[in-house]
Amino acid sequence: MASSEGFLTDEQREMLKIASLNLENLSSSPKNLSSSPKSPSMFLSEHQLKVPAAGKAPTAGIAVRHVRRSHSGKFVRVKKDGGGGKGTWGKLLDTDGESHIDRNDPNYDSGEEPYQLVGATISDPLDEYKKAVISIIEEYFSTGDVEVAASDLRELGSSQYHPYFIKRLVSMAMDRHDKEKEMASVLLSSLYAAVISPLQIRDGFVILLESADDLAVDILDAVDILALFIARAVVDDILPPAFLTRAKKTLPESSKGFRVLQIAEKSYLSAPHHAELVERRWGGSTHVTVEEVKKKIADLLREYVENGDAFEACRCIRELGVSFFHHEVVKRALILGMETRTAEPLILKLLKEASEEGLISSSQMLKGFTRLTESLDDLALDIPSAKSLFQFLVPKAIAEGWLDASFLKTSSKDGQGPAEDKKLRRYKEEVVTIIHEYFLSDDIPELVRSLEDLGMPEFNPIFLKKLITLAMDRKNREKEMASVLLSALHIEIFSTEDIVNGFVMLVESAEDTALDILDASNELALFLARAVIDDVLAPLNLEEISSKLPPNCSGSETVHMARSLIAARHAGERILRCWGGGTGWAVEDAKDKIQKLLEEYESGGDVSEACQCIRDLGMPFFNHEVVKKSLVMAMEKKNDRMLDLLQECFNEGLITINQMTKGFTRIKDGLDDLALDIPNAKEKFSFYLEYACKKGWLQAFFGSSVADTFSTLVAAT
């Protein structure tokens, strides 16, 4: 068995011996090698000599290893290790049969098992995300734990899918009770910026609007509920008011999503005190509506009048948990005291104790009295003696220390006190309505006409105070609208003195305003700074306002803050954009654009194209700058072509008489400085002034003084 021939039979050994001898003979005669009838390789091939896999291959001769003959008699080159090829033996380790693995073999290795491809369903990450957030939302609705919900959402990852979380949260809440709707709104406010970006919040609501038609199939009042969710998001400052306008442009007018935006804007966000109403629509933190709170207040006051238990009444008021709504308690208590004279002592006792305990704050007490003052005329229809009773209650409340004496001071200044002038009271009622309509319509010309119809310019400072006070208690949109309106009213109706006096009244009452509007001082400082940037006030007017304030007035700090804002770097751009801005430009940018369009027109541009460029600026309240720069350029270039542009703008109604007058006024005020660069500036301005009056560009009061101004300017030259 150990022989070099391996497992060969005797017959095979004999054949191998003969083949070896023949090979030796052939080796001695090379010429006969190719013609030999039986080469060893052929001889062995014919006898099908095979070497078992466990044995050793014969090693006698190179021909046996490297050259073999096919059945056709041709020589073929054998592959390395003797594998493959037709008519060859194959590799030494090749096996003809299939290999079988015995799992009972002690040496069995599972890694030797043949691989099998198993089909598997490819999962969509978005589908997995949607399934995961459902459990997060369900758990949140059960526990009400905002922190856990935020943590779970953060751990889930896949932040790119957060808009779908918004859709899922709101759509699930829409089909549940008010409690879940309120919880959904609270969660969105908590996740805003911290977990979900503002852009994702917006995208989530866009997806909801696009799917409003589908939601309405399963939820009958889906349109109204979704409108309320959007209004709540705007009130909670997680959606900008401009979202409604932008979203409308992306939706078909016939879609339910478009209808949702209309309801949100007109029914919810345009109503007086809309922020409070929207926040309390689903009950807020107390899970009750405003109507329910009012009913509870009325019930507890009636019960108190019956049993006289002030301690129990205070406990009930405290349990309501609506400290911001305590002014309603004050108002209803006073009305109840007027209706039932026997109840008056009990009512005064309750209000006094509630004030002394700190249950009803001084600001809420003031607000309650103020609200009652505003409704005295209507109340007098049911209670004829209402005004006289109120006049008796106010000094008594002040004397007992539970109504701040500033109520009389504020009343006398605003015309809200018991002894206010009827004319002033009527004016106040009218302008509040006018301002509310302006906030809804954004129609400045209509507001101007309404004020002119009132015909009470002596009360202009009171209008300014009311305008800004109402705007401070609203969103940035209304604040921006108030600033734009001031720019439009300046010169047109309001003088600089009116503006200054209005701000003096505002600054004096800033401390009282802060009781209801926590950030009133900062907001008022921004209004002052914005008025300076918009050229409504001059920087020196801030000094004038400070000088008119009483000693040790906290409003002095507000004026100082306004000065600091103006002095800051890039103040113009920052202040103009503090509430979003009307055009998105800084004043400096607007001035540059006006300068460039005028230069292009002066160099041969088309007048209609120049008018279109002015229109595209979208700043009608700033068109006085167009007038001013046009006149200055006409003086510098000695080219009266600019007058043709102003005439065309006036004919088209692009530049109003008021803006024309304001532009000429600004030139007139700066003539001395202008004359340093343009020696004949005064003479040229006199000519332009006379020309403008002939063309009817200027207001009557300005035109009446033209002759005097003209003679003065000529004399000066």
Side-chain angles (χ1 to χ4, degrees), residues 291-517:
E291 290 72 18
E292 290 174 332
V293 173
K294 289 181 177 180
K295 185 177 183 300
K296 288 184 177 182
I297 291 173
D299 291 343
L300 75 87
L301 288 174
R302 277 195 296 268
E303 184 177 347
Y304 165 67
V305 170
E306 291 175 1
N307 59 36
D309 190 345
F311 178 81
E312 178 65 17
C314 288
R315 187 188 66 79
C316 292
I317 294 172
R318 189 177 291 106
E319 285 184 352
L320 286 176
V322 287
S323 56
F324 64 89
F325 206 55
H326 282 170
H327 56 80
E328 183 71 17
V329 177
V330 177
K331 178 184 174 183
R332 286 183 176 270
L334 293 173
I335 293 175
L336 183 58
M338 293 178 183
E339 289 175 339
T340 310
R341 295 303 306 277
T342 55
E344 181 184 312
L346 289 172
I347 293 297
L348 297 180
K349 177 186 175 184
L350 175 63
L351 293 177
K352 181 179 179 181
E353 290 192 13
S355 176
E356 290 174 349
E357 289 183 15
L359 178 59
I360 298 179
S361 66
S362 59
S363 64
Q364 289 293 312
M365 194 70 76
L366 278 169
K367 193 169 184 179
F369 271 82
T370 301
R371 289 186 61 205
L372 184 58
T373 302
E374 293 172 349
S375 60
L376 273 177
D377 289 333
D378 295 333
L379 192 61
L381 299 176
D382 299 320
I383 309 173
S385 60
K387 293 183 180 180
S388 60
L389 290 173
F390 187 70
Q391 291 178 12
F392 167 76
L393 289 174
V394 170
K396 188 171 183 179
I398 293 174
E400 292 181 357
W402 50 275
L403 177 62
D404 198 289
S406 62
F407 174 74
L408 288 177
K409 180 181 176 183
T410 306
S411 303
S412 60
K413 286 185 178 179
D414 288 347
Q416 291 182 342
E420 69 177 343
D421 183 81
K422 289 184 179 180
K423 181 180 179 182
L424 185 54
R425 183 192 307 173
R426 185 174 69 84
Y427 177 83
K428 263 204 68 202
E429 292 172 352
E430 292 287 345
V431 297
V432 168
T433 303
I434 291 171
I435 293 169
H436 283 155
E437 289 178 355
Y438 167 65
F439 285 155
L440 295 177
S441 66
D442 196 15
D443 191 341
I444 293 179
E446 178 62 29
L447 181 140
V448 171
R449 283 192 293 271
S450 298
L451 286 180
E452 288 175 342
D453 291 342
L454 283 178
M456 303 181 191
E458 66 273 18
F459 296 144
N460 285 346
I462 293 176
F463 175 87
L464 185 145
K465 181 184 177 184
K466 266 295 171 189
L467 171 67
I468 294 181
T469 301
L470 290 171
M472 284 196 295
D473 200 25
R474 295 196 173 208
K475 296 297 176 183
N476 286 346
R477 172 181 175 270
E478 284 78 9
K479 296 183 181 79
E480 176 65 23
M481 290 174 69
S483 289
V484 171
L485 179 59
L486 282 183
S487 295
L489 293 177
H490 186 224
I491 297 298
E492 294 191 14
I493 297 181
F494 287 15
S495 65
T496 302
E497 185 179 2
D498 290 335
I499 304 287
V500 169
N501 290 336
F503 273 109
V504 168
M505 295 172 66
L506 276 165
V507 174
E508 282 182 341
S509 61
E511 191 170 346
D512 297 331
T513 306
L515 296 175
D516 294 316
I517 305 171

Side-chain angles (χ1 to χ4, degrees), residues 681-697:
K682 294 182 180 180
E683 181 180 356
K684 295 292 291 183
F685 179 69
S686 298
F687 169 74
Y688 296 149
L689 193 60
E690 186 177 13
Y691 181 86
C693 290
K694 290 180 179 178
K695 295 292 184 179
W697 293 356

